[in-house]
Amino acid sequence: MTTVDPNFDADREARRERTFTRINKADTWFKVLGLAWITPMLRIAAGDNPKAQGGQIWRLLGVPLLAIVGFLTLWAMLAPQVQTSLGAIPGPAQVWEQVGNLNADAQRTRERAADFYERQEQRNADRIAAGEEPRPIREFTGAPTYYQQIWTSIKTVFFGFLIATIVAVPLGIAAGLSATANAALNPIIQVFKPVSPLAWLPIVTIVVSAVYTTEDGWFERSFLVSAITVTLCSLWPTLINTALGVASIDKDLVNVSKVLKMGTWTKIQKLVLPSALPLIFTGLRLSLGVGWMVLIAAEMLAQNPGLGKFVWDEFQNGSSQSLAKIMVAVLTIGIIGFLLDRLMYTIQSLFTFTNNR
Amino acid sequence: MKRLIAALAATTALAGPLAAQELEIDELTFGFIKLTDMAPLAVAYELGYFEDEGLFVTLEAQANWRVLLDGVIDGTLDGAHMLAGQPIAATIGYGTQANIITPFSMDLNGNGITVSNEVWELMRPHIPSMDDGRPVHPISAEALVPVVEQYRDEGTRFDMGMVFPVSTHNYEIRFWLAAGGLNPGFYSPDDITGTIDADVFLSVTPPPQMPATLEAGTIFGYAVGEPWNQQAVQRGIGVPVITDYQLWPNNPEKVFGITEEFAEENPNTTRAIVRALIRAGMWLDENDNANREEAVEMLSWPEYVGADAEVIAASMTGTFEFEPGDLREIPDFNVFFRYYATYPYYSDAVWYLTQMRRWGQIPEAMPDEWYHEVAAQVYRPDIYLEAARSLVDDGLALEADFPWDTDGFREPVSEMIDGITYDGRYPNAYIDAFPIGLTGDEVVVDGAVTGG
């Protein structure tokens, strides 16, 4: 059925068309950022059928929100019914209260740091007045704040992940290109892939202590221990996926490269990497996820600075606020893990959807 | 908190001439375990005593005693709050070999032995009651004997926890068990579990995990420092049966340990550290513990002990709660300065050595001189007195507060729970007086005591 609009306005229609194209384009980005529900709203705003779009909004925004509310309600109802020796399990309200407390703690530490620097300035002023050399200003020596601990963990996971990537991608390409390399690497991958971070940790700790003995090096020893443990556990998904991606290149392309007598390096650059990229990124995403999980365990066990240490310290403190504080940390770990995954997904989209391979 | 800042401002005014000393290094990291007896470190940091000396100190909680000791040995930590047995054992090469010394003893007393509610119920009928119905203290391990027997008849091994093989707590719980007629088991060079011939099997658990481990049912009781006995009371999972004050009034407890190398390379820094710690000890005991409430608040911060303030206060302010509601006065439960608490007495080191010999950690008999030599190698009153002297000269401490002329041996002690008199001058005579434990030339070979 065709409708003939008497007031048909070609201009308006064209503008509308352009708006929708733009919305559709933006939609790809919203999806990447986890904000897919904005698209139907924009469509309604642009004059699309509200009923059809309403269904979308309900599915993309309403249902998730309802699920979260449902989860919080269940949590709030059930938590107080479990009595532990540290009191009832904290509900959402108590956990939220601890978010405030942790923030207040951070505030307190910042104030103390400011006082610490002020005292040093004062002392140096006194020394200058007495005709002595001023002393260099020292870093604050107090306990790290919750925010600093989060930042430490993020830095560590990225460092470990970076090393893992540098090791895994070339190895993966080698394994994908050559059956011999694959045969050589396969048993090693199979054996080391399932090893738990808790088993790697003592080895890494001892080796790092023995090898990295400089006092004024670039890195803290504990930072290296955590980061290397992350590397050892997180390089496998990238390695396996890279190898798979490289091995499954179109045979025609490979033949073309032979006809053109491409050198290995050119072949990798022009052919292998672009075709394997989607799978390499899938591997990297998995690796970062694994790395984040491993890091928390490593920090917890080795008492290395970061969120894991925070959790363990609170467990040791055993105060009436400890459980709620640990839950704050669990939520923080979850949210950061989610954001890390989104970040990798965004990078992956940047690399792959522009040149539809 | 306000008062803390005020105190800080007051002390920094004194800083001038002291900071002028040439320090070899001034950025230091000290380790500690989450226990109230780390208080001198927290106080020296929070009240600015370290800063007065020109020291920039970072305090780091450690996971367990093993990690802490390794940290000091490999240099990750410059010094640490240690079990008195740790520097001694390291020096004689038990468990690990390293020359660790102590120029400062951190406190007296401060530990307790706790049993699970179930064990307490079984023990209670064997303990006489006072007129008001509360049990008569101190409670002897004799009351535990029928419980252990009952468990054994049911085929259950009686397991208890302590914090480290050379910890005060290991020796204290062994002391208590043996005084009540229970054998806590021997060590031998090829069996370091310490359970040879044991009636009660002791295993290692880090202090803060004790309550959780007891609650999980892995152990039926434990010996640990505060606040982890009071934690058990407040959480309703166990009952402290005896404090170490009742085992041996004013027994030496934690020490501050550094490597001998550190002390030799950094004499001025070492003296500065000891000066700050002595001042912290003085502050903690000042005016009959007047500052304890403030110390409790400090220790309850998550970066230090982190337990609830009321749990910490339960022992730090001169009382100790046994069963819920059974609050008893023990004003000297934790002493930080009185009775020359911070002076590193040779006789304290010798006592630890006698216990190591008694339970087979020192496998063979040694002459008295050997005990005295080891003690003199580990305990360094010379460094302590030098720091104390400079404090007195600066008007920051009183002449009368330090035992200037002692030969390093405390007067013989006869108030211990087993009634045996301890005189550090004659360690072998003391060892030979124990009814349970290795005596004379006895050695443990292939899991059995022979010789002697």
Side-chain angles (χ1 to χ4, degrees):
Chain A
M1 191 178 86
T2 51
T3 24
V4 180
D5 189 341
N7 304 322
F8 184 74
D9 183 336
D11 258 10
R12 224 178 92 193
E13 194 55 26
R15 215 166 39 232
R16 210 178 115 106
E17 203 58 40
R18 274 201 304 278
T19 318
F20 274 101
T21 322
R22 243 178 265 141
I23 291 177
N24 282 340
K25 216 167 179 183
D27 179 47
T28 345
W29 284 104
F30 289 141
K31 270 188 189 142
V32 167
L33 297 172
L35 301 171
W37 46 272
I38 292 183
T39 315
M41 287 191 171
L42 288 177
R43 286 211 176 110
I44 294 175
D48 207 338
N49 178 6
K51 206 165 178 193
Q53 297 304 324
Q56 286 268 10
I57 296 178
W58 167 245
R59 200 163 44 79
L60 291 173
L61 185 65
V63 174
L65 277 183
L66 213 71
I68 291 173
V69 171
F71 171 73
L72 289 178
T73 321
L74 261 182
W75 177 11
M77 271 167 37
L78 295 179
Q81 294 176 13
V82 184
Q83 281 296 331
T84 72
S85 56
L86 283 177
I89 289 191
Q94 287 95 316
V95 170
W96 180 246
E97 197 185 309
Q98 288 312 315
V99 173
N101 275 353
L102 284 170
N103 190 46
D105 270 353
Q107 211 82 32
R108 175 174 68 104
T109 307
R110 267 194 291 263
E111 276 164 26
R112 287 185 343 138
D115 291 345
F116 177 83
Y117 290 119
E118 206 173 288
R119 285 198 300 276
Q120 289 194 64
E121 301 283 357
Q122 181 58 42
R123 255 173 231 167
N124 272 344
D126 291 348
R127 288 178 71 87
I128 292 168
E132 287 173 82
E133 282 280 298
R135 286 171 193 268
I137 299 293
R138 306 304 171 130
E139 292 260 339
F140 179 54
T141 53
T145 64
Y146 189 59
Y147 303 114
Q148 285 169 323
Q149 272 163 322
I150 295 177
W151 181 233
T152 309
S153 286
I154 292 179
K155 272 193 300 194
T156 317
V157 81
F158 271 110
F159 186 78
F161 172 67
L162 199 76
I163 308 178
T165 309
I166 292 170
V167 174
V169 171
L171 278 182
I173 292 175
L177 284 179
S178 132
T180 322
N182 192 28
L185 283 171
N186 200 36
I188 296 170
I189 297 174
Q190 298 302 333
V191 170
F192 287 127
K193 191 176 63 131
V195 175
S196 146
L198 307 187
W200 281 123
L201 194 67
I203 301 179
V204 176
T205 310
I206 290 167
V207 172
V208 169
S209 308
V211 176
Y212 193 77
T213 46
T214 49
E215 277 293 318
D216 309 308
W218 282 11
F219 307 109
E220 296 264 337
R221 221 175 281 163
S222 57
F223 172 83
L224 277 186
V225 170
S226 307
I228 293 174
T229 310
V230 167
T231 303
L232 283 173
C233 296
S234 75
L235 62 90
W236 313 111
T238 307
L239 212 168
I240 293 166
N241 276 288
T242 307
L244 191 68
V246 172
S248 54
I249 306 173
D250 201 327
K251 285 287 165 295
D252 293 344
L253 285 174
V254 178
N255 289 334
V256 169
S257 79
K258 277 181 186 152
V259 172
L260 291 176
K261 296 208 169 93
M262 276 187 180
T264 318
W265 179 237
T266 333
K267 191 169 121 189
I268 291 175
Q269 235 185 331
K270 302 273 176 206
L271 225 156
V272 172
L273 272 182
S275 353
L277 221 47
L279 264 173
I280 293 180
F281 268 105
T282 309
L284 288 177
R285 257 176 89 186
L286 286 171
S287 277
L288 191 58
V290 169
W292 182 242
M293 278 207 276
V294 163
L295 175 70
I296 303 298
E299 285 174 348
M300 228 166 133
L301 197 73
Q303 293 281 284
N304 290 337
L307 277 170
K309 181 172 165 61
F310 173 85
V311 170
W312 193 248
D313 278 352
E314 280 304 327
F315 171 59
Q316 289 208 318
N317 286 351
S319 86
S320 51
Q321 303 176 339
S322 289
L323 271 180
K325 279 189 180 164
I326 292 174
M327 286 183 190
V328 175
V330 165
L331 292 176
T332 313
I333 292 166
I335 290 168
I336 291 176
F338 166 73
L339 292 178
L340 288 178
D341 189 60
R342 281 288 129 182
L343 182 74
M344 283 310 291
Y345 183 60
T346 311
I347 300 173
Q348 178 177 18
S349 316
L350 276 178
F351 272 98
T352 47
F353 67 60
T354 45
N355 41 7
N356 272 324
R357 268 176 252 261
Chain B
M1 190 63 207
K2 285 237 172 62
R3 280 175 63 200
L4 269 184
I5 290 167
L8 232 161
T11 53
T12 42
L14 298 165
L18 314 176
Q21 286 176 338
E22 280 313 311
L23 297 171
E24 292 83 6
I25 48 171
D26 57 3
E27 283 180 295
L28 302 164
T29 307
F30 294 154
F32 69 90
I33 296 287
K34 288 176 175 285
L35 289 163
T36 53
D37 50 27
M38 62 75 66
L41 286 171
V43 168
Y45 180 88
E46 295 296 336
L47 296 191
Y49 295 153
F50 284 133
E51 281 184 48
D52 286 353
E53 303 292 335
L55 299 171
F56 300 96
V57 173
T58 306
L59 298 177
E60 270 180 15
Q62 305 293 309
N64 58 55
W65 291 112
R66 171 92 231 171
V67 169
L68 174 135
L69 181 63
D70 288 345
V72 172
I73 294 172
D74 72 19
T76 321
L77 300 173
D78 297 300
H81 159 233
M82 277 190 187
L83 296 160
Q86 283 186 308
I88 300 170
T91 300
I92 63 171
Y94 183 76
T96 182
Q97 169 67 56
N99 287 338
I100 297 182
I101 62 157
T102 177
F104 180 84
S105 176
M106 287 185 74
D107 65 326
L108 304 178
N109 315 316
N111 300 324
I113 297 172
T114 295
V115 296
S116 69
N117 292 331
E118 189 194 345
V119 171
W120 174 245
E121 262 164 46
L122 294 171
M123 272 176 85
R124 188 63 187 86
H126 306 285
I127 302 165
S129 297
M130 300 190 296
D131 293 340
D132 59 5
R134 297 186 301 167
V136 175
H137 280 193
I139 294 169
S140 160
E142 278 165 25
L144 189 65
V145 176
V147 185
V148 173
E149 273 165 8
Q150 183 185 334
Y151 273 64
R152 191 188 294 145
D153 293 344
E154 287 164 4
T156 311
R157 220 172 75 151
F158 200 86
D159 288 321
M160 291 181 92
M162 46 83 183
V163 303
F164 199 68
V166 297
S167 66
T168 323
H169 319 84
N170 186 20
Y171 304 128
E172 278 170 359
I173 194 168
R174 284 167 178 272
F175 199 85
W176 179 66
L177 291 168
L182 287 164
N183 190 339
F186 294 106
Y187 293 83
S188 79
D190 40 67
D191 181 354
I192 54 163
T193 57
T195 51
I196 298 166
D197 283 348
D199 297 320
V200 172
F201 294 76
L202 301 174
S203 59
V204 172
T205 306
Q209 267 108 278
M210 282 294 185
T213 314
L214 183 75
E215 198 179 10
T218 318
I219 49 177
F220 305 126
Y222 55 72
V224 77
E226 277 310 307
W228 309 118
N229 295 293
Q230 288 303 307
Q231 180 84 300
V233 182
Q234 306 259 334
R235 287 167 63 171
I237 56 179
V239 177
V241 283
I242 191 164
T243 65
D244 60 343
Y245 185 82
Q246 297 164 310
L247 280 172
W248 172 7
N250 295 330
N251 68 89
E253 238 285 292
K254 301 293 181 324
V255 297
F256 181 77
I258 52 179
T259 59
E260 193 173 22
E261 198 189 350
F262 178 92
E264 271 164 18
E265 286 172 7
N266 313 293
N268 292 339
T269 303
T270 306
R271 186 174 54 232
I273 297 168
V274 177
R275 282 170 54 102
L277 290 175
I278 292 177
R279 291 180 68 194
M282 283 163 49
W283 183 85
L284 277 161
D285 277 12
E286 225 164 58
N287 303 330
D288 285 331
N289 300 351
N291 296 325
R292 289 292 175 92
E293 290 288 348
E294 229 171 297
V296 165
E297 191 205 321
M298 244 182 242
L299 291 176
S300 72
W301 293 346
E303 63 260 42
Y304 298 127
V305 181
D308 289 344
E310 53 267 33
V311 175
I312 297 174
S315 69
M316 277 284 276
T317 50
T319 55
F320 194 87
E321 191 169 6
F322 288 87
E323 279 172 282
D326 185 357
L327 201 70
R328 304 198 187 193
E329 298 281 326
I330 307 186
D332 284 341
F333 179 79
N334 220 172
V335 172
F336 291 97
F337 192 71
R338 296 189 282 278
Y339 318 128
Y340 305 138
T342 53
Y343 184 92
Y345 279 100
Y346 296 137
S347 51
D348 296 349
V350 172
W351 186 79
Y352 284 99
L353 285 164
T354 62
Q355 300 307 300
M356 289 176 190
R357 168 65 191 136
R358 180 183 186 184
W359 302 117
Q361 290 175 333
I362 295 170
E364 283 163 9
M366 293 289 182
D368 283 357
E369 299 77 51
W370 179 84
Y371 288 87
H372 298 149
E373 276 162 25
V374 173
Q377 198 183 339
V378 180
Y379 277 47
R380 295 291 297 274
D382 52 326
I383 302 177
Y384 176 89
L385 285 181
E386 202 190 326
R389 175 53 65 196
S390 71
L391 281 176
V392 173
D393 289 348
D394 290 338
L396 291 170
L398 297 175
E399 176 91 27
D401 281 344
F402 304 96
W404 303 101
D405 302 320
T406 177
D407 62 350
F409 289 87
R410 291 180 200 262
E411 289 307 302
V413 191
S414 51
E415 301 94 55
M416 293 196 200
I417 198 166
D418 59 1
I420 299 169
T421 301
Y422 169 63
D423 184 347
R425 294 176 182 88
Y426 309 104
N428 277 306
Y430 179 60
I431 293 167
D432 291 345
F434 291 124
I436 296 180
L438 300 181
T439 52
D441 292 327
E442 280 179 346
V443 287
V444 182
V445 178
D446 292 335
V449 178
T450 53

